[in-house]
Amino acid sequence: QPLTATPPTPAYCQVNFTYSSGLAGPADGYDVNQVQQIKIRISLPLSLADGGAGAVQGNWVGKNMISASAGSSGSVPSWANFAEGLNHDTGPVYAIRLGYVGSSTDTGQGNPPFGVIQTGPLAHTLALGTIADWAYRGTHYGKLWGLTLAQTYYGSGPTRSYYNGCSGAGNEGMGQLQKYGDEYDGFLIVAPAYYWQQFRLADSYPYLVVKAKLTPLGKSLSSGQISAANTSAIAACDRQRLDKVADGIIADPRSCTFSAAANVCGNPNAPSAPNCLDPDQAAAIDQIWDGPRNHLGLRIWYPYDRGINFSTTLSGSTIQVVQWNHKDLAFDVAGNLFLDSAARFAAGSPPNGITYEEEAALGSNTTTDYTDNQNPKLDLAKNHGTKVIQLHGSQDGAIRWRHDIDYYHRVNAYFGGNPFDFSSLQQWYRFFPMPGVGHCSGGTGPSEVDPFLDVVNWVENGVAPASMLAAGGNGAPATRTRPLCPFPSTAVYKGSGSTDDASNFVCTGSLEWKYTICNDVRTKYKEETGASLDYAGIGLDPAFCQ
């Protein structure tokens, strides 16, 4: 709930249309006879001529807010932007209440075939045209049309352009930041769904572990067992060493090494049946918490951290995007994707069978360059003076928060920083982890409050956020507030006063230490089956980890 009442939304104008830049057909990455189609929605505060008053021109304050659609929904109304209090997904009305022109698009996702062409002479090829429209191009058209219609309607263009988006809209925000960073004054990007193919493949990991380790034994994991294991992990890892307060929130799940073996039936403090585990189930949960590794034991991607309920992934129904790597939407992912070569052999070595690490390498060499918005070379944004605030909840079950840390390291390394010093990068780009928070907001931890206004304050008043306000949390008093801290610092209780008052915490210390950094170094991109970890990509000396 918002901390204050949401004000009424003034009347506004809205323009909905479908745009094509002229791109079409195979030469531009589309199917035969397919034409680019981007559905765009521009919402405009009333001009002076239409009765608006009190701002730069009518109700308009001279600024534009750009967002995009959630996930791969393909729907123009499905915004994923942040608004007042703890609200998000409020659509263009937030922009209108601020006096901004708001723009959003379906990012071209409503123009099939999207992802893979399935029939005709181009069957089983990537639909590179619609993929580019989704990843970055469609949102950019929405931005440009917002500028054009503002100029037409008010007689002048905006003085400021901001991006505001979470999840899928966060992914498209990353596309704008990486390709058009000098066209924006500020970005708010929350829980971005970039690294798309890589993290979506990692969605399959709990399913593959259970399929390989438990199904042959006639076993599985119940939601009750998973929940009980997470409860035990949080209780064990709510370490006062980090935040100096026991509050049911893990300040940094990467530092938690709790083993599900503690929940084996009969062990002290293990839950009672049916939520306790047998040794095989405990080992499976530990492997899921550790995350995807190749046959050499090297990390490929990031896990479902302790505290996240991964029970919904066990059906294997969430991983169909892997079909893009095979350029075949009929590819049976659940039947042909295996944890490792031993699991594939045990299944009779089906002709289309592929292991996780092979799939990861296939994706990065086939699809990921087009889909994943992972370029750390942000010279356009930095040189322009663009300000960036990025947030991600550490208990996000939809998108793993650790890949934000990975990306932030890579940007820092590109600009000459080392893994323990982000001071130069923080001059214009700050990442704020949200301990205990789920996808975009919600969860046990307190969620961000009015983060868009922090971006505006930084851009227009030069006030870089030393911390950001968070509030609420499941099971917490409604009045609880906490600071969110710029990575790698963390909120630490001062030792006196209410632990539900943000003023009694200070951002200090560092979440980066040898274990957390070295354990998360991943294999080199496009070499996921190989023996090399990408230390250079994050600016780390390999000797530090040996």
Side-chain angles (χ1 to χ4, degrees):
Q1 297 298 317
L3 300 184
T4 57
T6 300
T9 302
Y12 59 98
C13 293
Q14 190 171 90
V15 185
N16 295 280
F17 58 99
T18 299
Y19 171 69
S20 175
S21 67
L23 298 176
D28 293 321
Y30 297 89
D31 198 1
V32 176
N33 297 322
Q34 184 185 18
V35 177
Q36 181 188 58
Q37 293 185 7
I38 311 294
K39 294 180 181 178
I40 298 176
R41 170 168 293 173
I42 309 295
S43 303
L44 304 107
L46 293 183
S47 67
L48 185 64
D50 280 342
V56 172
Q57 214 282 34
N59 288 352
W60 186 50
V61 298
K63 306 175 191 179
N64 282 19
M65 180 190 297
I66 296 90
S67 191
S69 58
S72 53
S73 63
S75 173
V76 179
S78 181
W79 279 46
N81 66 324
F82 275 86
E84 298 90 352
L86 305 178
N87 289 337
H88 65 98
D89 291 326
T90 58
V93 295
Y94 179 50
I96 295 301
R97 288 196 292 274
L98 291 179
Y100 289 46
V101 168
S103 70
S104 186
T105 82
D106 74 341
T107 65
Q109 298 167 49
N111 185 21
F114 169 63
V116 181
I117 298 171
Q118 287 295 288
T119 61
L122 299 181
H124 304 298
T125 60
L126 291 175
L128 297 181
T130 50
I131 288 175
D133 290 340
W134 163 63
Y136 60 90
R137 200 159 54 195
T139 302
H140 191 239
Y141 292 146
K143 175 194 181 292
L144 296 179
W145 273 105
L147 301 180
T148 298
L149 293 185
Q151 180 71 47
T152 301
Y153 187 49
Y154 305 111
S156 61
T159 58
R160 300 286 187 186
S161 292
Y162 292 96
Y163 193 87
N164 178 2
C166 181
S167 190
N171 174 41
E172 285 122 22
M174 279 296 185
Q176 299 306 290
L177 174 63
Q178 293 167 19
K179 293 183 179 294
Y180 312 104
D182 57 341
E183 297 184 17
Y184 292 80
D185 296 286
F187 285 84
L188 173 65
I189 296 175
V190 188
Y194 61 156
Y195 288 125
W196 178 262
Q197 290 295 105
Q198 297 174 81
F199 93 80
R200 291 307 310 272
L201 173 59
D203 287 348
S204 72
Y205 195 67
Y207 163 75
L208 296 177
V209 171
V210 170
K211 175 183 173 183
K213 303 295 186 179
L214 298 181
T215 301
L217 303 175
K219 302 176 183 179
S220 185
L221 289 169
S222 71
S223 59
Q225 288 174 315
I226 296 169
S227 178
N230 280 325
T231 298
S232 297
I234 291 172
C237 295
D238 178 13
R239 296 188 178 189
Q240 297 183 41
R241 177 180 65 79
L242 288 177
D243 58 15
K244 306 300 183 186
V245 60
D247 55 2
I249 300 170
I250 305 177
D252 183 358
R254 297 177 303 158
S255 67
C256 181
T257 58
F258 172 83
S259 171
N263 272 25
V264 170
C265 301
N267 283 350
N269 301 319
S272 58
N275 291 331
C276 59
L277 305 168
D278 69 24
D280 296 318
Q281 292 172 317
I285 290 179
D286 281 345
Q287 187 167 352
I288 290 167
W289 282 341
D290 182 60
R293 296 183 183 270
N294 68 15
H295 70 286
L296 299 172
L298 303 184
R299 177 172 302 287
I300 299 175
W301 204 248
Y302 305 105
Y304 284 85
D305 276 308
R306 291 161 175 83
I308 295 175
N309 183 359
F310 54 82
S311 61
T312 58
T313 71
L314 299 186
S315 68
S317 61
T318 63
I319 54 175
Q320 300 310 306
V321 71
V322 171
Q323 295 169 333
W324 290 15
N325 299 336
H326 298 265
K327 304 176 186 179
D328 181 2
L329 299 185
F331 180 79
D332 180 9
V333 180
N336 288 316
L337 184 60
F338 296 92
L339 179 67
D340 51 31
S341 57
R344 178 173 56 191
F345 179 79
S349 299
N352 290 326
I354 189 169
T355 66
Y356 184 100
E357 63 181 282
E358 293 168 345
E359 185 71 48
L362 175 66
S364 65
N365 285 282
T366 302
T367 311
T368 306
D369 284 347
Y370 306 108
T371 59
D372 277 29
N373 286 331
Q374 60 181 320
N375 188 355
K377 300 177 181 179
L378 303 183
D379 302 88
L380 290 176
K382 180 179 184 294
N383 295 338
H384 182 67
T386 304
K387 301 298 187 286
V388 183
I389 290 179
Q390 184 172 338
L391 303 102
H392 206 144
S394 67
Q395 294 293 299
D396 187 344
I399 303 170
R400 259 60 72 208
W401 77 296
R402 294 197 201 189
H403 73 211
D404 287 46
I405 297 175
D406 177 86
Y407 181 75
Y408 198 61
H409 271 294
R410 291 174 187 277
V411 176
N412 190 49
Y414 172 75
F415 287 108
N418 69 63
F420 300 98
D421 184 4
F422 297 86
S423 57
S424 179
L425 184 59
Q426 288 176 344
Q427 298 302 307
W428 60 278
Y429 182 2
R430 297 194 172 196
F431 169 51
F432 292 81
M434 299 186 290
V437 174
H439 188 52
C440 296
S441 64
T444 303
S447 297
E448 68 279 44
V449 178
D450 295 330
F452 180 74
L453 301 184
D454 285 301
V455 179
V456 175
N457 192 37
W458 193 2
V459 169
E460 299 181 15
N461 299 315
V463 181
S467 65
M468 297 178 70
L469 182 66
N474 294 342
T479 55
R480 170 179 284 180
T481 59
R482 290 279 178 87
L484 301 175
C485 301
F487 184 85
S489 65
T490 189
V492 177
Y493 180 51
K494 295 178 181 178
S496 63
S498 171
T499 57
D500 293 324
D501 186 341
S503 66
N504 295 323
F505 289 77
V506 61
C507 291
T508 188
S510 177
L511 297 177
E512 293 293 72
W513 50 292
K514 187 168 186 175
Y515 176 79
T516 56
I517 292 180
C518 295
N519 187 47
D520 272 8
V521 181
R522 58 182 171 94
T523 50
K524 290 183 177 179
Y525 181 56
K526 299 186 184 294
E527 299 179 24
E528 288 80 2
T529 63
S532 298
L533 290 172
D534 190 11
Y535 293 101
I538 63 171
L540 185 64
D541 182 352
F544 175 77
C545 293
Q546 289 175 1

